[in-house]
Amino acid sequence: MQFSAQSNADKPTNSAIGKPMDRTDGRLKVTGAARYAAEFPMKNLAHAVVVRSTIARGRIQSIDTSAAEKSPGVIAVITHLNAPKLATTDPPEVSDRYLKVIPVLQDDRINHYGQHVGLVVAKTFEQAQYAATLVRVAYTQERPALEFAANLNRAYAPERINAGYPTDTQQGDLERGLSAADVRIDVTYTTPIEHNNPIEPHATIAVWEGDRLTLYNSTQHVDANQTSVASTLRIPKQNVRVVCPYVGGGFGSKVPTREHVILAAIAAKQIGRPVKVALSRAQMFTCVGHRPHSQQRMRLGAKRDGRLTAFAHESIMETAVFDEFAEQNGVMSRMMYECPNSLVTHRIVPLNLERAMIMRAPGEAPGSFALESAMDELAYALKIDPIELRVRNEPPRDPESGLPWSSRSLVQCFREGAKRFGWEKRLAEPGSMREGRYLIGYGVASATFPARRRPSSAIVRVLPDGRVQVHTGATDLGTGTYTVLTQVAADALGVPPERVQVEIGDSNFPPTPASGGSFGAASFCTAVQEACVALRQRLAALVRDDANSPLRGANEEAITAADGRLFTKGQPARGESYVAIMQRHNLAQGVEVRVDSKPDDAAQKFSMHAFGAHFVQVSVDPDTGVIRIPRFLCVIAAGRILNPKTARSQIVGGVVWGISMALHEETLLDARYGNYVNGNLGEYHVAVNADIPDIDAVFVEENDPHVNPLGIKGIGEIGIVGAAAAVANAIFHATGKRIRDLPITPDKLL
Ligand code: MOS
């Protein structure tokens, strides 16, 4: 794999930001010293295994736990019959779904297959696992709603879709726009249920000391865990501590607090011992969310020159009967291309399935498959190069909000990508390129993701020995939070990165938003940056009035920091080290500053998004339909890239998942019973090494002065957006077959 990134021209040469620094936690990870949730050593630890419903809808008639209770090692069996009463309504101030209460085992109602109906706690994991098989549950079954197609008549418009976006938007007059078009397409795409499979399975250890609860929980958001758990258990928030120094991936599934966390807490309370609940891969298919099935109708109309005259994107998805979730499939369509007449709608069909929930690039990932495939179909219908079609519909402002872009480098991404990829070698006619007997196809697609920032807090300390300590609640999903926070603090305080110690993943530290929504770096780094600046100012204020300091009387603006010292700009000799300042002022604890950083009004003034372009080559065996991907190029413009090495991994990871989504991933429902027939990694196929080509991830330079002070746009999700469409488009180019139903398996090409 190759990698290249252009540097930010305005940064000083000794800057840590922008360097491809190795992960600061890399050594701990490869040596096994990094401790994940299930690995915290605990005296007297008991192990718990969940019992899952085997029907999709009905009521529990009776539960016989006697055999389980008598089984060796069993300490307790908890069901709705003996579980403590939990809060079932949210505290009034709760606005965010991730802060809601999580009542579990509170009644006999079954809403989906695999629902938790009990928890068996034993001395060992094996004993708990065996005893869980002995719990006998009798049900009164009711007819579940499971078939999407058969329940389409129950589709309804939710009040809002995920992330608070409007459900429906409309501009101009769609019908008029369609009539005015020279070329029209009207096609429907479908995407299957897909499941999050982070490498580290969900796990929690719950420990009570008196009335205080500590949870070692694999999570993307310690602070939301703390709030949800406290309100569910009806205890003060400060009595709950959530610890999560490392996370082996989450992809959205670890943003909400999950029911097994509550189960661990109530079990630990009940037996007076620490309890661990470590979910199995199979269990995770029915209790940590999934991407819902979608059906997306696209209607596009354009003039001969490619200019869009009409655009409609209508999505229907499934949602749980007990919890409404509408993936925002159409949000990318609302802002991506210029079109005077448009309609974007979302409908949901309630089914007896576990709740669909956020999964990497919720909305944009499946929505971009429909949007970017449809743009490709339109390009072929018009006989216009697919890149050119996108360029011709480039909007000067955000078509939805009317706001100017804070920056938008989509065209640069396509131009740069076309050059690197050799797009000019593409022959326009589908099925016209071959290598031996293999059909070759080139495909492109656009990518985008909102650049957001949320309130975030941090404490930064300079210790008496000159080391810097950063404390913030943020989590590192394996993506590089520790590393980029180190780089930001090192630059802002002028110390080498080795002198910075970052501690995160603890609700005792100042609160942050989730590591999610691609807003982690923009939120956490800005807070740390601001805290460092405030700290520098505090130290500068000390020395300016200090008769013994060489900086006495210096202007605040004239003081800068590097190599662990403060000095006047252009006069490096006039200055002193942090160590010297703290010694003279008897600051035995060092100096610390806490900052509660809040976004400014940039989001009201600008439309802020990262953009990118995917280029893929496929090779299709015309006899077997087997699809190989020899190369993939992703060009991203996402503002300042803090660390090109970890950033590259994020984009490559997104592309890998996009390929997986295009060719492999699909959760198969048995609509008679509501169970997933391939609910385990053995049969739920994800891309493996042999499926993954030479992926090149490139960043184009983009200095965005508006998004946030550091110019960060976020890169956690954009890599998957459009990637599946690029593959589908390349397959069409290779074969002339347009597959509108994911995944694109060989049988669909024959
Ligand atoms: Mo992401 S789906 O917001 O973790």
Side-chain angles (χ1 to χ4, degrees):
M1 287 184 207
Q2 288 177 343
F3 169 73
S4 63
Q6 282 153 27
S7 60
N8 294 298
D10 60 343
K11 76 178 199 297
T13 48
N14 64 347
S15 169
I17 293 178
K19 286 222 174 73
M21 202 173 112
D22 287 345
R23 285 163 201 280
T24 59
D25 51 336
R27 191 181 180 83
L28 291 173
K29 286 191 172 164
V30 297
T31 57
R35 203 160 260 161
Y36 290 81
E39 301 175 327
F40 280 80
M42 212 59 63
K43 277 211 188 77
N44 213 17
L45 179 67
H47 299 260
V49 168
V50 295
V51 181
R52 299 192 290 166
S53 156
T54 55
I55 66 160
R57 184 177 176 214
R59 289 189 179 276
I60 298 171
Q61 205 172 66
S62 62
I63 303 189
D64 179 0
T65 57
S66 56
E69 279 159 9
K70 279 187 236 124
S71 185
V74 170
I75 305 165
V77 180
I78 303 173
T79 69
H80 74 284
L81 298 171
N82 63 348
K85 287 282 158 276
L86 303 171
T88 51
T89 50
D90 297 314
E93 68 277 10
V94 166
S95 52
D96 186 326
R97 70 151 55 238
Y98 306 116
L99 301 177
K100 283 171 169 294
V101 295
I102 304 141
V104 54
L105 301 184
Q106 293 301 289
D107 58 36
D108 59 358
R109 165 59 54 197
I110 302 297
N111 286 315
H112 69 92
Y113 190 101
Q115 181 181 320
H116 300 316
V117 295
L119 187 76
V120 177
V121 194
K123 285 188 191 139
T124 70
F125 173 70
E126 291 76 10
Q127 289 169 334
Q129 198 174 31
Y130 173 65
T133 67
L134 304 177
V135 175
R136 294 282 166 263
V137 186
Y139 300 96
T140 312
Q141 293 203 45
E142 295 163 21
R143 192 185 152 87
L146 291 167
E147 297 215 38
F148 184 80
N151 286 282
L152 275 175
N153 58 337
R154 296 169 57 224
Y156 70 96
E159 203 173 306
R160 290 251 149 191
I161 55 172
N162 184 46
Y165 289 104
T167 305
D168 294 352
T169 52
Q170 186 173 352
Q171 280 182 351
D173 180 339
L174 180 72
E175 295 307 327
R176 208 173 54 210
L178 285 168
S179 331
D182 296 322
V183 171
R184 280 172 285 273
I185 62 164
D186 180 353
V187 287
T188 297
Y189 300 89
T190 50
T191 62
I193 291 174
E194 295 161 2
H195 270 82
N196 272 322
N197 275 289
I199 283 298
E200 180 207 12
H202 288 243
T204 305
I205 296 175
V207 190
W208 288 88
E209 285 154 296
D211 56 1
R212 302 179 82 87
L213 170 66
T214 302
L215 292 162
Y216 300 88
N217 185 34
S218 184
T219 179
Q220 292 175 238
H221 198 189
V222 291
D223 299 300
N225 282 178
Q226 183 193 30
T227 302
S228 268
V229 170
S231 37
T232 305
L233 301 180
R234 292 190 274 217
I235 59 175
K237 191 171 155 180
Q238 62 271 21
N239 287 19
V240 179
R241 179 181 175 202
V242 181
V243 178
C244 182
Y246 301 101
V247 191
F251 310 115
S253 75
K254 292 174 184 169
V255 171
T257 306
R258 296 298 182 178
E259 291 175 345
H260 68 273
V261 181
I262 303 296
L263 290 176
I266 64 179
K269 184 85 178 173
Q270 183 163 330
I271 70 165
R273 289 171 63 166
V275 168
K276 173 172 12 181
V277 180
L279 296 179
S280 71
R281 188 62 65 178
Q283 286 164 351
M284 276 170 50
F285 273 78
T286 56
C287 63
V288 299
H290 62 267
R291 201 191 292 290
H293 167 65
S294 80
Q295 180 176 304
Q296 304 177 60
R297 182 182 181 197
M298 303 294 301
R299 282 179 288 166
L300 271 59
K303 291 287 190 193
R304 277 270 158 245
D305 65 0
R307 299 281 208 123
L308 289 165
T309 58
F311 186 101
H313 184 169
E314 295 156 286
S315 286
I316 314 176
M317 298 148 283
E318 117 269 345
T319 189
V321 294
F322 60 97
D323 187 11
E324 184 178 282
F325 174 80
E327 206 176 358
Q328 66 268 40
N329 290 358
V331 293
M332 176 176 175
S333 294
R334 288 174 178 157
M335 47 64 69
M336 205 57 198
Y337 302 113
E338 185 72 2
C339 181
N341 305 295
S342 65
L343 173 72
V344 177
T345 66
H346 299 81
R347 298 292 177 269
I348 45 179
V349 177
L351 296 180
N352 286 99
L353 295 177
E354 197 240 333
R355 55 165 73 75
M357 193 38 66
I358 54 169
M359 178 159 154
R360 200 176 197 173
E364 278 87 354
S368 64
F369 170 64
L371 169 63
E372 292 301 301
S373 294
M375 286 297 281
D376 200 64
E377 297 207 39
L378 185 64
Y380 282 98
L382 289 162
K383 296 192 192 308
I384 295 178
D385 178 279
I387 296 177
E388 203 44 43
L389 178 68
R390 287 167 172 87
V391 173
R392 286 186 198 174
N393 288 288
E394 179 73 359
R397 295 175 154 246
D398 182 325
E400 184 187 10
S401 65
L403 294 174
W405 305 109
S406 64
S407 57
R408 173 167 167 137
S409 309
L410 179 72
V411 175
Q412 291 89 321
C413 291
F414 272 114
R415 298 290 185 232
E416 178 69 22
K419 209 161 53 193
R420 287 171 182 264
F421 191 79
W423 184 252
E424 82 286 348
K425 293 195 202 79
R426 169 183 175 270
L427 307 175
E429 193 59 30
S432 64
M433 291 174 72
R434 279 180 184 259
E435 262 175 33
R437 55 187 209 87
Y438 295 100
L439 298 164
I440 302 298
Y442 286 9
V444 289
S446 301
T448 188
F449 203 80
R452 307 178 173 117
R453 178 185 156 200
R454 297 259 177 103
S456 197
S457 302
I459 290 176
V460 178
R461 267 187 212 108
V462 180
L463 300 175
D465 64 2
R467 281 181 305 137
V468 171
Q469 229 176 33
V470 175
H471 283 176
T472 184
T475 53
D476 187 331
L477 305 185
T479 49
T481 308
Y482 280 103
T483 313
V484 295
L485 289 178
T486 302
Q487 292 172 281
V488 168
D491 279 10
L493 282 168
V495 298
E498 316 75 81
R499 303 284 284 163
V500 179
Q501 182 201 24
V502 174
E503 288 185 59
I504 60 174
D506 190 327
S507 60
N508 280 353
F509 295 149
T512 68
S515 289
S518 297
F519 48 62
S523 309
F524 319 149
C525 291
T526 306
V528 168
Q529 160 94 1
E530 284 178 10
C532 291
V533 169
L535 188 50
R536 228 167 75 179
Q537 285 167 347
R538 186 167 303 178
L539 289 166
L542 270 182
V543 293
R544 274 202 318 272
D545 299 331
D546 179 350
N548 296 317
S549 173
L551 287 162
R552 183 180 178 217
N555 264 332
E556 182 174 325
E557 304 77 59
I559 298 178
T560 187
D563 304 321
R565 27 194 319 276
L566 294 179
F567 57 93
T568 50
K569 284 177 194 157
Q571 229 187 319
R574 186 184 167 198
E576 59 177 331
S577 69
Y578 295 135
V579 176
I581 297 169
M582 280 181 287
Q583 263 172 7
R584 207 172 51 251
H585 289 266
N586 292 319
L587 294 165
Q589 311 298 316
V591 182
E592 81 168 45
V593 167
R594 176 187 162 131
V595 158
D596 302 299
S597 164
K598 301 227 168 22
D600 59 13
D601 60 353
Q604 279 78 58
K605 295 196 286 201
F606 296 97
S607 180
M608 309 194 293
H609 301 260
F611 292 91
H614 297 287
F615 290 77
V616 58
Q617 179 177 335
V618 302
S619 139
V620 179
D621 184 323
D623 299 322
T624 64
V626 168
I627 302 150
R628 306 300 302 172
I629 299 183
R631 62 196 180 110
F632 202 117
L633 166 68
C634 181
V635 185
I636 296 287
R640 172 171 293 174
I641 299 304
L642 295 168
N643 181 329
K645 192 173 198 172
T646 53
R648 168 194 167 281
S649 289
Q650 289 266 60
I651 300 304
V652 169
V655 168
V656 167
W657 203 344
I659 292 172
S660 197
M661 179 180 171
L663 302 182
H664 306 290
E665 296 197 33
E666 171 177 34
T667 310
L668 295 162
L669 175 72
D670 185 332
R672 294 170 302 173
Y673 307 113
N675 62 312
Y676 295 126
V677 295
N678 61 342
N680 208 332
L681 269 188
E683 287 153 319
Y684 179 91
H685 289 180
V686 298
V688 297
N689 280 341
D691 298 310
I692 294 306
D694 184 3
I695 299 175
D696 196 0
V698 177
F699 296 97
V700 301
E701 185 173 335
E702 188 179 65
N703 294 305
D704 189 319
H706 306 299
V707 273
N708 48 60
L710 285 161
I712 304 166
K713 280 190 173 176
I715 47 172
E717 288 159 287
I718 189 171
I720 191 176
V721 179
V727 173
N729 296 343
I731 290 170
F732 175 77
H733 183 234
T735 63
K737 291 193 175 117
R738 179 62 66 177
I739 309 302
R740 302 190 181 96
D741 175 48
L742 292 184
I744 306 175
T745 45
D747 53 296
K748 294 179 185 170
L749 290 177
L750 297 177

